Amino acid sequence: MKQKQILYEKLIQYILENQDRFYRVAYSYTRHQEDALDVVQSAVCKAVEAYESIQNEDAVKTWFYKILINECLAVLKKRKRLLLSDESSEREEAYFENKALSWPKTVEREYSGGGFMSKLDIMKERYDRIAIPEELNTRIAGVCVLFIAALNVSPVFAQEAEQLPMIGGLARILTFRTYETEKDDIAVSVEIPTIEVIAADTGIAVDEINQEIFDRCNQYAAEALQRAEEYRTAFLETGGTPEEWAEHKIKITVGYEIKQQNNDYLSFVVRGTENWANAYNESRYYNMDLRTGEMVTLKDMLGDDYEELVNESIREQITEREKAGEVFFSAEEGGFAGISEDVKFYINENNRPVIVFGKYEIAPGSSGEIAFEIKEISHDSAAEMTETNDADEAAQTPQMYEDNFAVDSKAAGKFAKKIQEAAAQKDLEALAELTAFPVYVGLPDVGVVETKEEFLRLGAEAVFTDELLESVKNADIDHFQPSMAGFSISGGGAANINFGVLDGVLAINGINY
């Protein structure tokens, strides 16, 4: 027993003294910080669980590195596993594995001349420059403390580290695949997440949801690229040049954000964005109850009266935020009238649901996404306020559109009239309220304008050129015909203002000169 304790403490000491090296090795394989942290943590967990299998205490280093490298390769394989079964994916997988496994041979083959040692020194210097994240020590020390406490060995060490947070959980989010491409000055950046079950025998099934996420991310990227290519074709066919197109700096991004990851819940959002327009931007929220292995709903978290509880909480928060200066739509303007069945939400660090509304849903687009944390309130209070609101409010739903083809000529003309009035008065603030951001503004050295504030800083004199004012004034706004690109207010010439359906409502999406 004494010998086992000595062996175990030697292993713990070796791990704590060399954790930076382990991370650099893992990062050299994965090229991703979070994956490298997960690899090291997983390797340490497996090592301390299997420490009794060490035959020779002098071989700890070799034994541990074998575990570490296997974990690195497992991540590389997982990125390219069954979901990527076509020939190109198989070649890519072989490339990653061979790249990692054959590094020493590659170096020797490439630098086998007189300069080999100097080149190797350069590579070592690059390796040593890999930054070590602060989270590494917390993760590794937490794992070591967890196992020391369980085995009741080295209590002194456990006492010194008792303030460190424990690392655990039944499941976690990992990056499954990342890639970046560029074609015809259209940049694409994709980072696909996957749910990994850590603990054994949990009964949690994630293959179906992982497949859904993988398919949706790739589908969004492909459809967005097609839309961008159609936009480019239309731009060039209407007189634009490749150089002018490049100035648009078009980018498609697919990524994810972890909202909560603990022993109770796993909550994250997968987003797809196109920086030249908001119409096709997507946010899909995933909330898993790790105690049941099921996707959690608001009813699961708040009970049968969840609608009343949520509506009351949001109304109270809107009232307080309006007092602080925030702007929300009124009921007549399509403001908040109650949550829908498919309302979006995530779970925050307090294990509370947070309701999310997209741009233009309940407030001007300049407000961006708006979130409300739903705190616990009494059922009596919710019922009382519901009765008051039912008596005082008549919910009015604004006109929403699925796409540009759902907009009739009259509605398009009515919106265009507002644009004409703003232009005639050179009212940049009014024009901004009709605009979805980011928006393309074809002034020299401008391009994509990200926010309303940035747009207003351009100044009315710069935006309302004589050519634009003349074109907008003479435009026929009574006979619009819908198209995939939307609608264009133009009286002839190059200057025009384009608008279309963005997040279900009409908004300006481009100003050309």
Side-chain angles (χ1 to χ4, degrees), residues 452-468:
K452 176 183 177 182
E453 290 72 22
E454 184 181 345
F455 181 73
L456 293 175
R457 284 197 294 269
L458 295 176
E461 291 304 317
V463 173
F464 295 115
T465 65
D466 291 341
E467 183 183 7
L468 181 66

Side-chain angles (χ1 to χ4, degrees), residues 415-469:
F415 185 82
K417 184 64 176 177
K418 294 180 180 180
I419 296 174
Q420 281 187 329
E421 291 173 353
Q425 299 172 22
K426 291 188 177 181
D427 188 340
L428 196 59
E429 181 74 34
L431 195 70
E433 286 300 322
L434 301 171
T435 302
F437 295 95
V439 65
Y440 175 74
V441 179
L443 291 170
D445 302 321
V446 178
V448 176
V449 177
E450 296 290 341
T451 65
K452 176 183 177 182
E453 290 72 22
E454 184 181 345
F455 181 73
L456 293 175
R457 284 197 294 269
L458 295 176
E461 291 304 317
V463 173
F464 295 115
T465 65
D466 291 341
E467 183 183 7
L468 181 66
L469 292 176

Side-chain angles (χ1 to χ4, degrees), residues 41-42 45 49 168-172 195-206 263 290:
Q41 180 179 326
S42 181
C45 286
E49 286 177 338
L170 303 176
R172 61 187 174 187
I195 304 172
E196 180 183 68
V197 177
I198 301 173
D201 302 324
T202 61
I204 299 175
V206 296
N263 286 329
L290 297 179

Side-chain angles (χ1 to χ4, degrees), residues 174-407:
L174 297 175
T175 298
F176 176 73
R177 189 188 183 197
T178 61
Y179 63 87
E180 294 186 355
T181 63
E182 185 168 333
K183 177 184 178 184
D184 296 331
D185 291 308
I186 302 170
V188 181
S189 176
V190 178
E191 187 174 28
I192 304 175
T194 188
I195 304 172
E196 180 183 68
V197 177
I198 301 173
D201 302 324
T202 61
I204 299 175
V206 296
D207 288 347
E208 185 175 342
I209 188 66
N210 282 339
Q211 185 72 57
E212 175 193 319
I213 294 170
F214 180 85
D215 291 342
R216 185 57 199 143
C217 286
N218 283 320
Q219 181 183 352
Y220 181 90
E223 292 176 350
L225 181 58
Q226 181 179 352
R227 287 191 289 268
E229 289 173 341
E230 291 174 354
Y231 179 23
R232 179 178 183 274
T233 298
F235 179 82
L236 297 178
E237 289 178 348
T238 53
T241 67
E243 292 74 21
E244 290 172 333
W245 169 256
E247 293 177 0
H248 283 53
K249 294 181 173 57
I250 298 297
K251 185 172 184 180
I252 298 162
T253 304
V254 178
Y256 68 95
E257 179 185 355
I258 298 172
K259 296 294 188 178
Q260 175 63 296
Q261 188 169 251
N262 61 17
N263 286 329
D264 296 324
Y265 297 108
L266 199 61
S267 180
F268 61 101
V269 56
V270 181
R271 303 184 191 276
T273 61
E274 303 166 32
N275 72 337
W276 70 95
N278 295 312
Y280 297 98
N281 290 354
E282 287 188 11
S283 295
R284 298 200 177 197
Y285 290 83
Y286 297 88
N287 305 294
M288 177 177 282
D289 188 335
L290 297 179
R291 296 162 296 189
T292 64
E294 301 292 334
M295 286 297 170
V296 68
T297 65
L298 288 173
K299 183 177 180 180
D300 296 331
M301 298 188 73
L302 302 174
D304 292 338
D305 298 332
Y306 75 93
E307 287 190 49
E308 295 178 8
L309 295 172
V310 171
N311 289 338
E312 167 54 19
S313 178
I314 291 176
R315 289 189 180 102
E316 287 185 352
Q317 291 182 60
I318 287 177
T319 299
E320 292 301 315
R321 288 160 71 162
E322 284 180 327
K323 291 178 181 177
E326 287 190 51
V327 178
F328 292 87
F329 292 144
S330 65
E332 292 76 14
E333 295 170 325
F336 179 71
I339 61 170
S340 61
E341 185 177 349
D342 57 350
V343 65
K344 297 176 181 177
F345 77 97
Y346 65 85
I347 300 169
N348 67 9
E349 66 277 2
N350 299 319
N351 278 1
R352 300 302 304 170
V354 178
I355 308 300
V356 181
F357 294 95
K359 293 174 66 173
Y360 300 101
E361 278 197 74
I362 62 172
S366 57
S367 300
E369 277 193 346
I370 300 178
F372 301 91
E373 178 181 351
I374 307 304
K375 300 177 181 179
E376 295 184 69
I377 62 175
S378 70
H379 286 246
D380 291 341
S381 174
E384 180 181 342
M385 289 303 300
T386 298
E387 291 175 4
T388 301
N389 287 322
D390 287 344
D392 296 343
E393 291 185 4
Q396 298 189 25
T397 304
Q399 181 66 54
M400 303 291 287
Y401 305 100
E402 183 177 351
D403 54 32
N404 292 315
F405 294 99
V407 182

Side-chain angles (χ1 to χ4, degrees), residues 36-137:
L37 287 168
D38 289 336
V39 161
V40 177
Q41 180 179 326
S42 181
V44 170
C45 286
K46 290 185 176 180
V48 294
E49 286 177 338
Y51 79 99
E52 292 184 6
S53 66
I54 301 175
Q55 301 299 320
N56 181 356
E57 64 183 61
D58 295 329
V60 167
K61 178 178 179 180
T62 303
W63 177 80
F64 183 84
Y65 266 96
K66 182 178 180 181
I67 296 174
L68 180 65
I69 299 303
N70 285 338
E71 288 300 300
C72 290
L73 295 179
V75 168
L76 296 180
K77 288 179 180 179
K78 186 169 184 177
R79 287 181 183 172
K80 309 293 178 289
R81 61 183 178 181
L82 299 178
L83 294 173
L84 306 175
S85 58
D86 55 47
E87 293 182 4
S88 61
S89 300
E90 292 173 0
R91 287 196 298 271
E92 190 176 1
E93 178 178 1
Y95 167 80
F96 272 98
E97 287 201 23
N98 292 335
K99 189 80 171 175
L101 290 170
S102 62
W103 178 83
K105 295 179 182 179
T106 304
V107 173
E108 185 174 2
R109 183 167 59 252
E110 294 180 356
Y111 305 120
S112 57
F116 171 72
M117 290 307 297
S118 61
K119 294 292 178 68
L120 187 59
D121 289 340
I122 292 174
M123 296 182 75
K124 183 179 184 303
E125 182 181 350
R126 290 176 180 171
Y127 167 86
D128 291 337
R129 285 205 304 262
I130 295 174
I132 306 299
E134 295 180 3
E135 184 182 352
L136 177 68
N137 183 63

